[in-house]
Structure formats: C-alpha cells, structure tokens
Amino acid sequence: MEMQWLRTFADAAETLNFRKTSERLMLSQPSVTVHIRQLEEYLGIRLFDRVKNRVVLTEEGHHFKYQAGTLVKKFDSTVDELHSFAQGYRRQ
C-alpha cells in the first residue's frame, strides 16, 4: 500500500470530489482515480460508490476514512519529527 494512495483517499473522502482532490494535491484527476482504484484493489473492498458524476463513500469507506486520516497524520508527524532530529533538535 502506498502512502500517496492513503493521502488521496483521505482527501477524496473529505471533499467527495475527485476534481477538488486533484487540485488540492496537485495531481491530475486521472491520477486520483487510479490511486483510489489501486487502494480499493489492494484492500479488496469498494470505498466509493460512483453515481453519475458524483462519488459517495460506501459503509466501508466511512469506516476507513478515520483510519486513513489517522495514518496520514501520524506519517506526516513522524517525518517532521525525523527532520527536526536530523537538524539537531532533541527536545520538544
């Protein structure tokens, strides 16, 4: 599983709009669709229902939304902490 897939899912779950997600993450809209499809294939579950030009979270997608957001935040804070450590900061 790629962190970018989780980041894309977390944003798309918040906006429920792949175009807005592509703008916010500076990705092409087809890349957003591919990330979501790859994540769904990896997990073996459908996270979004596609209805005409709209997307809505499935029940599984609602459940995973919080978990994905938590993972992305933890990853980002870990990377920030590592950069601080590498720069010589040893205390909060």
Side-chain angles (χ1 to χ4, degrees):
M1 179 182 325
E2 299 287 329
M3 182 55 64
Q4 188 61 42
W5 300 350
L6 287 175
R7 193 176 306 283
T8 302
F9 169 75
D11 194 274
E14 181 182 324
T15 65
L16 294 177
N17 187 312
F18 287 5
R19 182 188 55 78
K20 284 183 185 176
T21 294
S22 71
E23 291 171 0
R24 288 168 56 156
L25 299 179
M26 295 185 286
L27 298 168
S28 69
Q29 190 171 344
S31 292
V32 170
T33 302
V34 168
H35 287 181
I36 299 300
R37 186 180 322 121
Q38 289 174 321
L39 182 60
E40 289 176 330
E41 287 175 7
Y42 179 84
L43 296 172
I45 58 172
R46 205 175 65 246
L47 299 168
F48 289 98
D49 281 327
R50 287 120 175 117
V51 180
K52 296 185 183 181
N53 290 335
R54 298 185 59 202
V55 292
V56 293
L57 286 168
T58 62
E59 188 175 336
E60 294 84 359
H62 276 289
H63 179 75
F64 189 57
K65 178 182 176 181
Y66 173 77
Q67 302 299 330
T70 301
L71 288 169
V72 168
K73 287 176 187 171
K74 180 64 176 170
F75 178 81
D76 289 344
S77 69
T78 300
V79 169
D80 289 344
E81 188 276 329
L82 181 59
H83 286 155
S84 294
F85 184 84
Q87 292 175 3
Y89 296 103
R90 301 294 191 253
R91 292 188 222 158
Q92 291 282 335

Coordinates of all heavy atoms in Angstrom, one line a residue:
M1 N 0.8 -1.2 0.0 CA 0.0 0.0 0.0 C 0.9 1.2 0.0 O 1.9 1.3 0.8 CB -0.9 0.0 1.2 CG -1.8 1.2 1.3 SD -2.9 1.4 2.7 CE -3.3 -0.3 3.2
E2 N 0.6 2.2 -0.8 CA 1.3 3.4 -1.0 C 0.8 4.5 -0.1 O -0.5 4.6 0.0 CB 1.3 3.9 -2.4 CG 2.0 2.9 -3.4 CD 3.5 2.9 -3.3 OE1 4.1 3.9 -2.9 OE2 4.0 1.8 -3.5
M3 N 1.6 5.3 0.5 CA 1.1 6.4 1.4 C 0.4 7.4 0.5 O -0.6 8.0 1.0 CB 2.3 7.1 2.1 CG 1.9 8.2 3.0 SD 0.7 7.8 4.3 CE 1.5 6.6 5.2
Q4 N 0.8 7.6 -0.7 CA 0.1 8.6 -1.6 C -1.4 8.1 -1.8 O -2.3 8.9 -1.9 CB 0.8 8.8 -2.9 CG 0.2 9.9 -3.8 CD 0.2 11.2 -3.1 OE1 1.2 11.6 -2.5 NE2 -0.9 12.0 -3.2
W5 N -1.6 6.8 -1.9 CA -3.0 6.3 -2.1 C -3.8 6.7 -0.9 O -5.0 7.1 -1.0 CB -3.0 4.8 -2.2 CG -2.2 4.2 -3.3 CD1 -1.7 4.8 -4.4 CD2 -2.0 2.8 -3.5 NE1 -1.1 3.9 -5.2 CE2 -1.2 2.6 -4.7 CE3 -2.3 1.7 -2.8 CZ2 -0.8 1.4 -5.2 CZ3 -1.9 0.4 -3.2 CH2 -1.1 0.3 -4.4
L6 N -3.2 6.5 0.3 CA -4.0 6.9 1.6 C -4.2 8.4 1.6 O -5.3 8.8 2.0 CB -3.2 6.5 2.8 CG -3.1 5.0 3.1 CD1 -2.2 4.7 4.3 CD2 -4.5 4.5 3.4
R7 N -3.2 9.2 1.3 CA -3.4 10.6 1.2 C -4.5 11.0 0.3 O -5.3 11.9 0.6 CB -2.1 11.3 0.9 CG -2.0 12.7 1.1 CD -0.6 13.3 0.8 NE 0.5 12.7 1.5 CZ 0.8 12.8 2.8 NH1 0.1 13.7 3.5 NH2 1.8 12.2 3.3
T8 N -4.5 10.4 -0.9 CA -5.5 10.7 -1.9 C -6.9 10.3 -1.4 O -7.9 11.1 -1.5 CB -5.2 10.0 -3.2 OG1 -3.9 10.4 -3.7 CG2 -6.2 10.3 -4.3
F9 N -7.0 9.1 -0.8 CA -8.3 8.7 -0.3 C -8.8 9.6 0.8 O -10.0 10.0 0.8 CB -8.2 7.2 0.3 CG -9.4 6.9 1.0 CD1 -10.6 6.6 0.4 CD2 -9.4 6.9 2.4 CE1 -11.8 6.3 1.1 CE2 -10.6 6.6 3.1 CZ -11.7 6.3 2.5
A10 N -7.9 10.0 1.8 CA -8.3 10.8 2.9 C -8.9 12.1 2.4 O -9.9 12.6 2.9 CB -7.1 11.0 3.8
D11 N -8.2 12.7 1.4 CA -8.7 14.0 0.9 C -10.0 13.8 0.1 O -10.9 14.6 0.2 CB -7.6 14.6 0.0 CG -8.0 16.1 -0.3 OD1 -8.7 16.3 -1.3 OD2 -7.5 16.9 0.4
A12 N -10.1 12.8 -0.7 CA -11.3 12.5 -1.5 C -12.5 12.2 -0.6 O -13.6 12.6 -0.9 CB -11.0 11.4 -2.5
A13 N -12.2 11.5 0.5 CA -13.3 11.2 1.4 C -13.8 12.4 2.1 O -15.0 12.5 2.5 CB -12.8 10.2 2.5
E14 N -12.9 13.4 2.3 CA -13.3 14.7 2.9 C -14.1 15.5 1.9 O -15.2 16.1 2.2 CB -12.1 15.4 3.3 CG -12.4 16.8 4.0 CD -11.1 17.5 4.4 OE1 -10.2 16.8 4.8 OE2 -11.1 18.7 4.3
T15 N -13.6 15.6 0.6 CA -14.3 16.5 -0.4 C -15.4 15.8 -1.1 O -16.3 16.5 -1.6 CB -13.2 17.0 -1.4 OG1 -12.7 15.9 -2.1 CG2 -12.1 17.8 -0.7
L16 N -15.4 14.5 -1.2 CA -16.3 13.8 -2.1 C -16.3 14.3 -3.5 O -17.3 14.4 -4.2 CB -17.7 13.7 -1.5 CG -17.8 13.0 -0.2 CD1 -19.3 13.1 0.4 CD2 -17.4 11.6 -0.3
N17 N -15.1 14.7 -4.0 CA -15.0 15.3 -5.3 C -13.5 15.1 -5.8 O -12.6 15.6 -5.2 CB -15.3 16.8 -5.2 CG -15.3 17.5 -6.5 OD1 -14.5 17.3 -7.4 ND2 -16.4 18.2 -6.8
F18 N -13.4 14.2 -6.8 CA -12.1 13.9 -7.3 C -11.4 15.1 -7.9 O -10.2 15.2 -7.9 CB -12.1 12.7 -8.2 CG -12.4 11.4 -7.6 CD1 -12.7 11.2 -6.2 CD2 -12.4 10.2 -8.4 CE1 -12.9 10.0 -5.7 CE2 -12.6 9.0 -7.8 CZ -12.9 8.9 -6.4
R19 N -12.1 16.0 -8.5 CA -11.5 17.1 -9.2 C -10.9 18.0 -8.1 O -9.8 18.5 -8.2 CB -12.6 17.9 -10.0 CG -12.0 19.2 -10.7 CD -13.1 20.0 -11.3 NE -14.1 20.5 -10.4 CZ -14.0 21.4 -9.5 NH1 -12.8 22.1 -9.4 NH2 -15.0 21.8 -8.7
K20 N -11.7 18.3 -7.0 CA -11.1 19.1 -5.9 C -9.9 18.5 -5.3 O -9.0 19.1 -5.0 CB -12.2 19.4 -4.8 CG -13.2 20.4 -5.2 CD -14.2 20.6 -4.1 CE -15.3 21.5 -4.5 NZ -16.3 21.7 -3.5
T21 N -10.0 17.2 -5.1 CA -8.8 16.4 -4.6 C -7.6 16.6 -5.5 O -6.5 16.8 -5.0 CB -9.2 14.9 -4.4 OG1 -10.2 14.9 -3.4 CG2 -8.0 14.1 -4.0
S22 N -7.8 16.5 -6.8 CA -6.7 16.6 -7.7 C -6.1 18.0 -7.6 O -4.9 18.2 -7.6 CB -7.1 16.3 -9.1 OG -8.0 17.3 -9.7
E23 N -6.9 19.0 -7.4 CA -6.4 20.4 -7.3 C -5.7 20.6 -6.0 O -4.6 21.2 -5.9 CB -7.6 21.4 -7.4 CG -8.2 21.5 -8.8 CD -9.4 22.3 -8.8 OE1 -9.9 22.9 -7.7 OE2 -10.0 22.5 -9.9
R24 N -6.2 20.1 -4.9 CA -5.6 20.2 -3.6 C -4.3 19.5 -3.5 O -3.4 20.0 -2.8 CB -6.6 19.8 -2.5 CG -7.8 20.7 -2.3 CD -8.9 20.2 -1.5 NE -8.4 19.7 -0.2 CZ -9.3 19.7 0.9 NH1 -10.5 20.0 0.8 NH2 -8.8 19.3 2.0
L25 N -4.2 18.3 -4.1 CA -3.0 17.5 -4.0 C -2.0 17.7 -5.2 O -1.0 17.1 -5.3 CB -3.3 16.0 -3.9 CG -4.2 15.6 -2.7 CD1 -4.5 14.2 -2.7 CD2 -3.5 16.0 -1.4
M26 N -2.4 18.6 -6.1 CA -1.7 18.9 -7.3 C -1.4 17.6 -8.1 O -0.2 17.4 -8.5 CB -0.4 19.7 -6.9 CG -0.7 21.0 -6.4 SD 0.7 22.1 -6.1 CE 1.4 21.3 -4.6
L27 N -2.4 16.9 -8.4 CA -2.4 15.7 -9.2 C -3.3 15.8 -10.3 O -4.3 16.7 -10.2 CB -2.8 14.5 -8.4 CG -1.9 14.1 -7.2 CD1 -2.7 13.0 -6.4 CD2 -0.6 13.5 -7.6
S28 N -3.2 15.1 -11.4 CA -4.2 15.0 -12.4 C -5.4 14.3 -11.9 O -5.3 13.4 -11.0 CB -3.7 14.4 -13.7 OG -3.5 13.0 -13.5
Q29 N -6.6 14.6 -12.4 CA -7.8 13.9 -12.0 C -7.7 12.4 -12.3 O -8.1 11.5 -11.5 CB -9.0 14.5 -12.6 CG -10.3 13.9 -12.0 CD -11.5 14.7 -12.5 OE1 -11.4 15.8 -13.0 NE2 -12.7 14.1 -12.3
P30 N -7.1 12.0 -13.5 CA -7.0 10.5 -13.7 C -6.1 9.9 -12.7 O -6.3 8.7 -12.3 CB -6.4 10.5 -15.1 CG -6.9 11.7 -15.8 CD -6.9 12.7 -14.7
S31 N -5.1 10.6 -12.2 CA -4.2 10.0 -11.1 C -4.9 9.8 -9.8 O -4.7 8.8 -9.2 CB -3.0 11.0 -10.8 OG -2.1 11.0 -11.9
V32 N -5.8 10.7 -9.5 CA -6.7 10.5 -8.3 C -7.5 9.2 -8.5 O -7.6 8.4 -7.6 CB -7.6 11.7 -8.0 CG1 -8.6 11.4 -6.9 CG2 -6.7 12.9 -7.7
T33 N -8.1 9.1 -9.6 CA -9.0 7.9 -9.9 C -8.1 6.6 -9.8 O -8.6 5.6 -9.2 CB -9.6 8.0 -11.3 OG1 -10.4 9.2 -11.3 CG2 -10.5 6.8 -11.6
V34 N -6.9 6.6 -10.4 CA -6.0 5.5 -10.3 C -5.6 5.1 -8.9 O -5.7 4.0 -8.5 CB -4.8 5.7 -11.2 CG1 -3.7 4.6 -11.0 CG2 -5.2 5.7 -12.7
H35 N -5.3 6.2 -8.1 CA -4.9 5.9 -6.7 C -6.1 5.2 -5.9 O -5.8 4.3 -5.2 CB -4.5 7.2 -6.0 CG -3.2 7.8 -6.4 ND1 -2.7 8.9 -5.9 CD2 -2.3 7.4 -7.3 CE1 -1.6 9.2 -6.4 NE2 -1.3 8.3 -7.3
I36 N -7.3 5.8 -6.1 CA -8.4 5.2 -5.4 C -8.6 3.7 -5.9 O -8.9 2.8 -5.1 CB -9.7 6.0 -5.7 CG1 -9.5 7.5 -5.1 CG2 -10.9 5.4 -5.1 CD1 -9.2 7.5 -3.6
R37 N -8.6 3.5 -7.2 CA -8.8 2.2 -7.7 C -7.7 1.2 -7.2 O -8.0 0.1 -6.8 CB -8.7 2.2 -9.3 CG -9.1 0.8 -9.8 CD -9.1 0.7 -11.4 NE -9.6 1.9 -12.0 CZ -8.9 2.7 -12.9 NH1 -7.7 2.3 -13.2 NH2 -9.4 3.7 -13.4
Q38 N -6.4 1.6 -7.2 CA -5.4 0.8 -6.6 C -5.6 0.5 -5.2 O -5.4 -0.7 -4.7 CB -4.0 1.4 -6.9 CG -3.6 1.4 -8.3 CD -2.3 2.2 -8.6 OE1 -2.1 3.3 -8.0 NE2 -1.5 1.7 -9.5
L39 N -6.0 1.5 -4.4 CA -6.2 1.2 -3.0 C -7.4 0.3 -2.8 O -7.3 -0.7 -2.0 CB -6.5 2.6 -2.3 CG -6.8 2.5 -0.8 CD1 -5.6 1.9 0.0 CD2 -7.1 3.8 -0.2
E40 N -8.5 0.4 -3.6 CA -9.6 -0.5 -3.5 C -9.2 -1.9 -3.8 O -9.6 -2.9 -3.2 CB -10.7 0.0 -4.4 CG -11.4 1.2 -3.9 CD -12.5 1.8 -4.8 OE1 -12.4 1.6 -6.0 OE2 -13.5 2.4 -4.3
E41 N -8.4 -2.0 -4.9 CA -7.9 -3.4 -5.3 C -7.0 -4.0 -4.2 O -7.1 -5.2 -3.9 CB -7.2 -3.3 -6.6 CG -8.1 -3.1 -7.8 CD -7.3 -2.9 -9.1 OE1 -6.1 -3.0 -9.1 OE2 -8.0 -2.5 -10.1
Y42 N -6.1 -3.2 -3.6 CA -5.2 -3.7 -2.6 C -6.0 -4.1 -1.4 O -5.7 -5.2 -0.8 CB -4.3 -2.6 -2.2 CG -3.3 -3.0 -1.1 CD1 -2.1 -3.7 -1.4 CD2 -3.6 -2.7 0.3 CE1 -1.3 -4.1 -0.4 CE2 -2.7 -3.1 1.3 CZ -1.6 -3.8 1.0 OH -0.7 -4.2 2.0
L43 N -7.0 -3.4 -1.0 CA -7.8 -3.7 0.2 C -8.9 -4.8 -0.1 O -9.4 -5.4 0.8 CB -8.5 -2.5 0.8 CG -7.6 -1.4 1.3 CD1 -8.4 -0.1 1.7 CD2 -6.9 -1.9 2.5
G44 N -9.2 -4.9 -1.4 CA -10.3 -5.9 -1.7 C -11.7 -5.4 -1.4 O -12.6 -6.2 -1.2
I45 N -11.9 -4.1 -1.2 CA -13.2 -3.5 -0.9 C -13.4 -2.3 -1.8 O -12.5 -1.6 -2.2 CB -13.4 -3.2 0.6 CG1 -12.3 -2.2 1.0 CG2 -13.4 -4.5 1.4 CD1 -12.5 -1.7 2.4
R46 N -14.7 -2.0 -2.0 CA -15.0 -0.7 -2.7 C -15.2 0.4 -1.6 O -15.9 0.2 -0.6 CB -16.3 -0.9 -3.4 CG -16.5 0.0 -4.6 CD -17.8 -0.3 -5.4 NE -19.0 -0.1 -4.6 CZ -19.8 -1.0 -4.2 NH1 -19.6 -2.3 -4.5 NH2 -20.9 -0.7 -3.4
L47 N -14.5 1.5 -1.8 CA -14.5 2.6 -0.8 C -15.5 3.7 -1.2 O -16.0 4.4 -0.4 CB -13.1 3.2 -0.6 CG -12.1 2.2 -0.1 CD1 -10.7 2.8 -0.3 CD2 -12.4 1.9 1.3
F48 N -15.7 3.8 -2.5 CA -16.7 4.8 -3.1 C -17.7 4.1 -4.0 O -17.3 3.2 -4.7 CB -15.9 5.8 -3.9 CG -15.0 6.8 -3.1 CD1 -13.7 6.5 -3.0 CD2 -15.6 7.9 -2.5 CE1 -12.9 7.4 -2.3 CE2 -14.8 8.8 -1.8 CZ -13.4 8.5 -1.7
D49 N -18.9 4.6 -4.0 CA -19.9 4.3 -5.0 C -19.8 5.5 -6.0 O -19.8 6.6 -5.6 CB -21.3 4.2 -4.4 CG -21.5 2.8 -3.7 OD1 -20.9 1.8 -4.2 OD2 -22.2 2.8 -2.7
R50 N -19.9 5.1 -7.2 CA -19.9 6.2 -8.3 C -21.3 6.2 -8.9 O -21.8 5.2 -9.4 CB -18.9 5.8 -9.4 CG -17.4 6.0 -8.9 CD -16.6 4.7 -9.0 NE -15.2 4.9 -8.7 CZ -14.6 4.4 -7.6 NH1 -15.3 3.6 -6.8 NH2 -13.4 4.6 -7.4
V51 N -21.9 7.4 -8.7 CA -23.3 7.6 -9.2 C -23.2 8.8 -10.1 O -23.0 9.9 -9.7 CB -24.2 7.9 -8.0 CG1 -25.6 8.1 -8.5 CG2 -24.2 6.8 -7.0
K52 N -23.4 8.5 -11.4 CA -23.2 9.5 -12.5 C -21.9 10.2 -12.3 O -20.9 9.6 -12.4 CB -24.4 10.5 -12.4 CG -25.7 9.8 -12.8 CD -26.8 10.8 -12.9 CE -28.1 10.0 -13.1 NZ -29.3 10.9 -13.3
N53 N -21.9 11.5 -12.1 CA -20.6 12.3 -11.9 C -20.3 12.5 -10.5 O -19.4 13.4 -10.2 CB -20.7 13.6 -12.7 CG -20.7 13.4 -14.2 OD1 -20.2 12.4 -14.7 ND2 -21.3 14.4 -14.9
R54 N -20.9 11.8 -9.5 CA -20.7 12.0 -8.1 C -20.1 10.8 -7.5 O -20.3 9.7 -8.0 CB -22.0 12.4 -7.4 CG -22.6 13.7 -7.9 CD -23.8 14.0 -7.1 NE -23.4 14.2 -5.8 CZ -24.3 14.1 -4.7 NH1 -25.5 13.9 -5.0 NH2 -23.8 14.3 -3.5
V55 N -19.4 11.0 -6.4 CA -18.9 9.8 -5.6 C -19.4 10.0 -4.2 O -19.5 11.1 -3.7 CB -17.3 9.7 -5.6 CG1 -16.8 9.3 -7.0 CG2 -16.7 10.9 -5.1
V56 N -19.8 8.8 -3.6 CA -20.2 8.8 -2.2 C -19.4 7.7 -1.5 O -19.1 6.7 -2.2 CB -21.7 8.6 -2.0 CG1 -22.5 9.8 -2.6 CG2 -22.2 7.4 -2.7
L57 N -19.1 7.8 -0.3 CA -18.5 6.8 0.5 C -19.4 5.6 0.7 O -20.6 5.8 1.1 CB -18.0 7.3 1.8 CG -16.8 8.2 1.8 CD1 -16.6 8.9 3.2 CD2 -15.5 7.5 1.4
T58 N -18.8 4.4 0.6 CA -19.6 3.2 1.0 C -19.5 3.1 2.5 O -18.8 3.9 3.2 CB -18.9 2.0 0.4 OG1 -17.6 1.8 0.9 CG2 -18.9 2.0 -1.1
E59 N -20.2 2.2 3.1 CA -20.1 2.0 4.5 C -18.7 1.7 4.9 O -18.2 2.2 5.9 CB -21.0 0.8 4.9 CG -21.2 0.7 6.4 CD -22.2 -0.4 6.8 OE1 -23.1 -0.7 6.0 OE2 -22.0 -0.9 7.9
E60 N -18.0 0.8 4.2 CA -16.6 0.5 4.4 C -15.7 1.8 4.3 O -14.8 2.0 5.0 CB -16.1 -0.6 3.5 CG -16.7 -1.9 3.7 CD -18.1 -2.1 2.9 OE1 -18.5 -1.1 2.3 OE2 -18.6 -3.2 3.0
G61 N -16.0 2.6 3.3 CA -15.3 3.9 3.1 C -15.4 4.8 4.3 O -14.5 5.4 4.7
H62 N -16.7 4.9 4.8 CA -16.9 5.7 6.0 C -16.0 5.2 7.2 O -15.4 6.0 7.9 CB -18.3 5.7 6.4 CG -19.2 6.7 5.7 ND1 -19.1 8.1 5.9 CD2 -20.1 6.5 4.8 CE1 -19.9 8.7 5.2 NE2 -20.6 7.8 4.4
H63 N -16.0 3.9 7.3 CA -15.2 3.3 8.4 C -13.7 3.6 8.2 O -13.0 3.9 9.2 CB -15.5 1.8 8.5 CG -14.7 1.1 9.6 ND1 -15.0 1.2 10.9 CD2 -13.6 0.3 9.5 CE1 -14.2 0.5 11.6 NE2 -13.3 -0.1 10.8
F64 N -13.2 3.4 7.0 CA -11.8 3.6 6.7 C -11.4 5.1 6.7 O -10.2 5.3 6.9 CB -11.5 2.9 5.4 CG -10.0 2.8 5.1 CD1 -9.2 2.2 5.9 CD2 -9.5 3.4 3.9 CE1 -7.8 2.1 5.6 CE2 -8.2 3.3 3.6 CZ -7.3 2.6 4.5
K65 N -12.3 6.0 6.5 CA -11.9 7.4 6.4 C -11.2 7.9 7.6 O -10.1 8.5 7.5 CB -13.2 8.2 6.3 CG -13.0 9.7 6.2 CD -14.3 10.5 6.1 CE -14.1 12.0 6.1 NZ -15.4 12.7 6.1
Y66 N -11.6 7.5 8.8 CA -11.0 8.0 10.1 C -9.6 7.3 10.2 O -8.6 7.9 10.5 CB -11.8 7.6 11.3 CG -11.1 7.8 12.6 CD1 -11.0 9.1 13.1 CD2 -10.6 6.8 13.3 CE1 -10.3 9.4 14.2 CE2 -9.9 7.0 14.5 CZ -9.7 8.3 14.9 OH -9.1 8.5 16.1
Q67 N -9.5 6.0 9.9 CA -8.3 5.3 10.0 C -7.2 5.8 9.0 O -6.1 6.0 9.4 CB -8.5 3.8 9.7 CG -9.5 3.1 10.6 CD -9.1 3.1 12.0 OE1 -7.9 3.1 12.3 NE2 -10.1 3.2 12.9
A68 N -7.6 6.1 7.8 CA -6.7 6.7 6.8 C -6.2 8.0 7.2 O -5.0 8.4 7.1 CB -7.4 6.7 5.4
G69 N -7.1 8.9 7.7 CA -6.7 10.2 8.2 C -5.7 10.1 9.3 O -4.7 10.9 9.4
T70 N -5.9 9.2 10.3 CA -5.0 9.0 11.4 C -3.6 8.5 10.9 O -2.6 9.0 11.3 CB -5.6 7.9 12.4 OG1 -6.9 8.4 12.8 CG2 -4.7 7.7 13.5
L71 N -3.6 7.6 9.9 CA -2.4 7.1 9.4 C -1.6 8.2 8.7 O -0.4 8.4 8.9 CB -2.6 6.0 8.4 CG -3.0 4.6 9.0 CD1 -3.5 3.7 7.9 CD2 -1.9 4.0 9.8
V72 N -2.3 9.1 7.9 CA -1.6 10.1 7.2 C -1.0 11.2 8.2 O 0.1 11.6 8.0 CB -2.6 10.8 6.2 CG1 -2.0 12.1 5.6 CG2 -2.9 9.9 5.0
K73 N -1.8 11.5 9.2 CA -1.3 12.5 10.2 C -0.1 11.9 10.9 O 0.8 12.6 11.2 CB -2.4 12.8 11.2 CG -3.5 13.8 10.6 CD -4.6 14.0 11.5 CE -5.7 14.8 10.8 NZ -6.9 14.9 11.7
K74 N -0.2 10.7 11.3 CA 0.9 10.0 12.0 C 2.2 10.0 11.2 O 3.3 10.3 11.6 CB 0.5 8.6 12.5 CG 1.6 7.9 13.3 CD 1.9 8.6 14.6 CE 2.9 7.8 15.4 NZ 3.5 8.5 16.5
F75 N 2.0 9.6 9.9 CA 3.1 9.6 9.0 C 3.8 11.0 8.9 O 5.0 11.1 9.0 CB 2.7 9.1 7.6 CG 3.8 9.0 6.6 CD1 4.7 8.0 6.6 CD2 3.9 10.1 5.7 CE1 5.7 8.0 5.6 CE2 4.9 10.0 4.7 CZ 5.8 9.0 4.7
D76 N 2.9 12.0 8.6 CA 3.4 13.4 8.5 C 4.2 13.8 9.7 O 5.2 14.4 9.6 CB 2.3 14.3 8.1 CG 1.8 14.1 6.7 OD1 2.5 13.4 5.9 OD2 0.7 14.6 6.4
S77 N 3.6 13.6 10.9 CA 4.2 14.0 12.1 C 5.6 13.2 12.4 O 6.5 13.8 12.9 CB 3.3 13.9 13.4 OG 3.1 12.5 13.7
T78 N 5.6 12.0 12.0 CA 6.9 11.2 12.1 C 7.9 11.8 11.2 O 9.1 11.9 11.6 CB 6.6 9.7 11.8 OG1 5.6 9.2 12.7 CG2 7.8 8.9 11.9
V79 N 7.6 12.1 10.0 CA 8.6 12.7 9.1 C 9.0 14.0 9.6 O 10.2 14.3 9.6 CB 8.0 12.8 7.6 CG1 8.8 13.6 6.7 CG2 7.7 11.4 7.0
D80 N 8.1 14.9 10.1 CA 8.5 16.2 10.7 C 9.5 16.0 11.8 O 10.5 16.7 12.0 CB 7.3 16.9 11.1 CG 6.4 17.5 9.9 OD1 6.9 17.5 8.8 OD2 5.3 17.8 10.2
E81 N 9.1 15.0 12.7 CA 10.0 14.8 13.9 C 11.4 14.3 13.5 O 12.4 14.7 14.0 CB 9.3 13.7 14.8 CG 10.0 13.5 16.1 CD 11.2 12.5 16.1 OE1 11.1 11.6 15.3 OE2 12.1 12.7 16.8
L82 N 11.4 13.4 12.5 CA 12.7 12.9 12.0 C 13.5 14.1 11.4 O 14.7 14.1 11.6 CB 12.5 11.8 10.9 CG 13.7 11.2 10.3 CD1 14.6 10.6 11.4 CD2 13.4 10.2 9.3
H83 N 12.9 15.0 10.6 CA 13.6 16.1 10.1 C 14.2 17.0 11.2 O 15.3 17.5 11.1 CB 12.8 16.9 9.1 CG 12.5 16.3 7.8 ND1 11.4 16.5 7.0 CD2 13.2 15.3 7.1 CE1 11.5 15.8 5.9 NE2 12.6 15.1 6.0
S84 N 13.4 17.2 12.2 CA 13.9 18.0 13.4 C 15.0 17.3 14.1 O 16.0 18.0 14.4 CB 12.7 18.2 14.4 OG 11.7 19.0 13.8
F85 N 14.9 16.0 14.2 CA 16.0 15.3 14.9 C 17.3 15.4 14.1 O 18.4 15.6 14.6 CB 15.6 13.8 15.0 CG 16.6 13.0 15.8 CD1 16.6 13.0 17.2 CD2 17.5 12.2 15.1 CE1 17.5 12.2 17.8 CE2 18.5 11.5 15.8 CZ 18.5 11.4 17.1
A86 N 17.1 15.3 12.7 CA 18.3 15.3 11.9 C 19.0 16.7 11.9 O 20.2 16.8 11.7 CB 17.9 15.0 10.4
Q87 N 18.2 17.7 12.2 CA 18.7 19.1 12.3 C 19.3 19.4 13.7 O 19.7 20.5 13.9 CB 17.7 20.1 11.9 CG 17.3 20.0 10.4 CD 16.1 20.9 10.1 OE1 15.6 21.7 11.0 NE2 15.6 20.9 8.9
G88 N 19.2 18.4 14.6 CA 19.9 18.6 15.9 C 18.9 18.9 17.0 O 19.3 19.0 18.1
Y89 N 17.6 19.0 16.7 CA 16.6 19.2 17.8 C 16.3 17.9 18.5 O 15.9 16.9 17.9 CB 15.3 19.8 17.2 CG 15.5 21.2 16.6 CD1 15.5 21.3 15.3 CD2 15.7 22.3 17.4 CE1 15.7 22.5 14.7 CE2 15.9 23.5 16.9 CZ 15.9 23.7 15.5 OH 16.1 24.9 14.9
R90 N 16.6 17.9 19.8 CA 16.5 16.6 20.6 C 15.3 16.7 21.6 O 15.0 15.7 22.2 CB 17.8 16.3 21.3 CG 19.0 16.1 20.4 CD 18.8 14.9 19.5 NE 20.0 14.5 18.8 CZ 20.2 14.7 17.5 NH1 19.3 15.3 16.8 NH2 21.4 14.4 17.0
R91 N 14.7 17.9 21.8 CA 13.6 18.0 22.7 C 12.5 18.7 22.1 O 12.7 19.5 21.1 CB 14.1 18.9 24.0 CG 15.1 18.2 24.8 CD 15.3 19.0 26.0 NE 16.8 19.0 26.3 CZ 17.4 19.9 27.0 NH1 16.7 20.9 27.6 NH2 18.7 19.8 27.2
Q92 N 11.3 18.5 22.6 CA 10.1 19.2 22.1 C 10.1 20.7 22.6 O 10.4 21.0 23.6 CB 8.8 18.5 22.6 CG 8.6 17.2 22.1 CD 8.1 17.2 20.7 OE1 7.4 18.2 20.3 NE2 8.3 16.2 19.9

